[in-house]
Structures are given as C-alpha cells and as structure tokens.
Amino acid sequence: MPEDSILHPALRALIAGNAQGRPGPPGLRLDVRIQAPDLRPFLGGNVLPGVWSFAAAESGPHVAVVALVHGNEIGGALVLDRWLRAGLRPKRGRLSLVFANIDAYARFDPEDPTASRFLDEDLNRLWELDTLEGGRRSLELRRARALRPLFDSVDILLDLHSMLWPSEPLLLAGQAPRAASLALRLGVPPLVVADDGHLSGRRLIDYAPFVARDGAATAVLVEAGSHWEPATVGTMEATGAALLRTTGVVDPADAALWPMAAPGAPRLAAVTRTVTARTSGFAFVRPFRGGDVLPQRNTLIALDGETEVRSPHDNCLMVMPSLRTMPGQTAVRLARFMD
C-alpha cells in the first residue's frame, strides 16, 4: 500500500528518518526511518505498568491491542501512542492497549536497532503453561506472568509485529479456526496464514485460552512489514482500526481512527512444513522474500549442512524466510493456499 494512503496525518507527522543503517546481508535493512515515540507519559499505565484499559458503560467484548512484545519493533508503539494521545475510548465493552516489553524498549538505540528485541529471552516464546508456572526466572518471564491475568480476561487480541527480512505483510492465525476466521474478516493485510508456531516456544497467540477447543477467546498476530518503515506503521494501524471496527468496540466514526484502507481479497494459506535450522551451515539457495510462491513441487530451497530442503508441493508459499538462521531457529514456513 502506498505510504500516503495508509498513514493518518497525525501519525505521519511523527515519522522521521534520522538514523543511518549499517550494511548487512542482501535484503537486510537496518536503517531506522521512523522515530521511537516518547512513552514516558504512558509507562505508569492504569492497571499495570505500560497497560491502559478502558471500560465502556455498554457491555461488549474485551479487546486488547498489544505492541512491543519485541522491544525493537517500535511501529506498534507509535500506533498505541497516537491512540492514547488522541483519547481513543471504547463505546462498548473494554479496550486494553498494552506496551509489553517496556524494559527492552527502554534500551532501543537506532544506531543498533536489533539489540533490544529482548533482554533475557524472547517474550514471544514463553506462553506455554509449564513455562509460565514453572520455576525459571528472567525479566521477560516476570513480565509475562504480570500480564497473564489481563490476557486471561481478553476476548479478542491483536499482537502488532514487524519483520527483519523482506516480506509481504500477513496475519498469522495459529491453529485455531476461529482465529483464521477473524483474520479473514479483517482483510488487512489480505494474506492470512494458519501455522503451528515455533519449536522454540509458544507465542502469545498460542496461549492456552486463545487456542482451547472449547474456548471462545481469539488472538491473531500481524506481521506488518519491515521494521522501522513508515508503511509498516500504517499497516499496523490499518489492521488495528479494522479490528476495532469489526468488533464494534469503538465507534467507527471515532476521529482517533484514521480512514479505513480498502482491503484486498483475503486469502488463507495453511503451513504444511515448518523448517527449523539444524546446523550452523543452513543457507538458502537464493535470497527469497516472504510471499514468494514456488510453482513446482520439489524445488530446491535451501541446504541445511548437506541436507536438501525442497518445496513439498506445487504453488508453495514462502512464509517469512529468515535469511540468517541459527540452529534451533525457524528458517521458513512453507504453506499451501486453501482457496
């Protein structure tokens, strides 16, 4: 989507490209073209540090929009910062706006923008019950445990993320059919991927209340585009605005929500294989971009040491390939369109 068509004028005024990036592998962009917002007025929260929750007189669902699960993905912070400054409030139900990993965000440095993803461990790999209730300790686990009671009360959650490697924006719906249904209704961005997460730990959208077969709570995650790009911030706000309008929590005419972007025709793809790097020698045969489609089955994708990784079927969708991967990390997800 063109930058000018997706950025609210007030948000566009916050965008500034002040930092210079460092060279990296092909496709890797480390130049920071957005300015991290000053969150000091909002760090206290009104229910928890960094968490603002507002209830309407009229009953309705509890909707949460979450930013900064990764401390260096600052686009979501820009969106929530603008909504709070604009006085966005629900007309029914409850609206919670969550700055998740505020400790990592406090260390964000545009000269070294990848360093503050987390402090001790990835906050988006901790949402297994055994992990949350176990004896392990870390800064991120302490924060997850503090946020857990709030998330236990949420009916619909949107987690705002961005990407290091080039990719088309997409919504991740995990394995819950109700999450895929919600993502398709939002339609922004139009690509929805049903996936099974990561071997290294459960994401927030995989937390038990959001995936329970007999439950109703739902969570989706938007990967809105490249880190630190103005268009990525606009996509995040477009997705958030679509969620608030779709759920009816906020008045569609609320001036705090910028005009709705025209959604594309939504498409659902289901992951058929998650490729996890096994060796330090994992390498793609070329710099793939997320959203690339391999027309033919058995196309060579990567080498993991001496093991070949090939496309398992025709029209194989590449989901968020990570062009520099360590052993145990997800290298790429391969998906089939469910048209």
Side-chain angles (χ1 to χ4, degrees), residues 10-325:
L11 185 60
R12 192 180 303 125
L14 295 174
I15 303 300
N18 295 329
Q20 297 297 317
R22 299 194 307 269
L28 180 62
R29 299 189 64 172
L30 292 177
D31 50 318
V32 178
R33 300 185 59 237
I34 57 178
Q35 184 171 313
D38 179 4
L39 297 184
R40 286 176 294 179
F42 307 119
L43 292 180
N46 66 351
V47 293
L48 285 169
V51 179
W52 293 84
S53 192
F54 307 101
E58 184 181 346
S59 64
H62 181 183
V63 174
V65 183
V66 183
L68 294 179
V69 165
H70 295 132
N72 67 328
E73 297 181 15
I74 64 175
L78 275 166
V79 173
L80 299 196
D81 174 78
R82 195 187 73 75
W83 283 355
L84 285 166
R85 292 180 189 275
L88 184 66
R89 297 292 185 271
K91 74 168 187 177
R92 69 185 187 100
R94 177 176 289 274
L95 174 64
S96 294
L97 305 177
V98 180
F99 299 104
N101 199 339
I102 52 179
D103 289 334
Y105 176 73
R107 300 191 187 183
F108 178 75
D109 179 359
E111 296 297 326
D112 190 11
T114 63
S116 58
R117 179 177 172 87
F118 54 82
L119 298 181
D120 290 339
E121 58 182 327
D122 192 332
L123 181 58
N124 213 29
R125 300 292 183 272
L126 302 179
W127 296 92
E128 178 72 50
L129 292 181
D130 288 346
T131 300
L132 292 167
E133 297 172 359
R136 199 170 88 233
R137 298 188 179 207
S138 71
L139 289 171
E140 274 78 16
L141 257 174
R142 183 172 64 188
R143 181 62 167 167
R145 289 163 179 156
L147 292 172
R148 183 183 175 188
L150 174 81
F151 293 147
D152 283 341
S153 71
V154 166
D155 298 303
I156 300 170
L157 181 141
L158 172 64
D159 196 5
L160 304 175
H161 285 261
S162 54
M163 298 176 274
L164 181 63
W165 299 100
S167 178
E168 295 301 311
L170 71 155
L171 282 156
L172 292 175
Q175 286 294 300
R178 61 185 181 268
S181 176
L182 170 64
L184 289 167
R185 291 202 308 275
L186 298 182
V188 183
L191 176 60
V192 177
V193 175
D195 72 331
D196 51 6
H198 302 275
L199 290 178
S200 54
R202 284 191 174 225
R203 303 163 299 189
L204 176 56
I205 65 168
D206 304 318
Y207 177 46
F210 300 131
V211 298
R213 289 181 180 272
D214 58 350
T218 305
V220 295
L221 182 158
V222 61
E223 294 282 5
S226 296
H227 297 325
W228 319 307
E229 291 290 328
T232 298
V233 183
T235 298
M236 286 180 175
E237 189 165 19
T239 308
L243 177 78
L244 298 183
R245 291 187 173 102
T246 297
T247 58
V249 168
V250 171
D251 187 335
D254 194 309
L257 294 180
W258 61 276
M260 180 179 286
R267 298 190 76 185
L268 175 64
V271 168
T272 55
R273 181 184 177 189
T274 298
V275 179
T276 302
R278 303 296 181 185
T279 73
S280 59
F282 187 99
F284 289 96
V285 297
R286 63 181 176 87
F288 290 103
R289 176 185 175 88
D292 285 349
V293 177
L294 305 179
Q296 294 186 328
R297 177 184 178 275
N298 208 37
T299 299
L300 181 63
I301 296 171
L303 295 173
D304 195 353
E306 297 184 359
T307 302
E308 294 184 347
V309 178
R310 293 182 174 269
S311 56
H313 46 76
D314 292 344
N315 296 321
C316 181
L317 174 68
M318 303 283 287
V319 180
M320 295 176 61
S322 179
L323 302 185
R324 178 181 286 174
T325 308

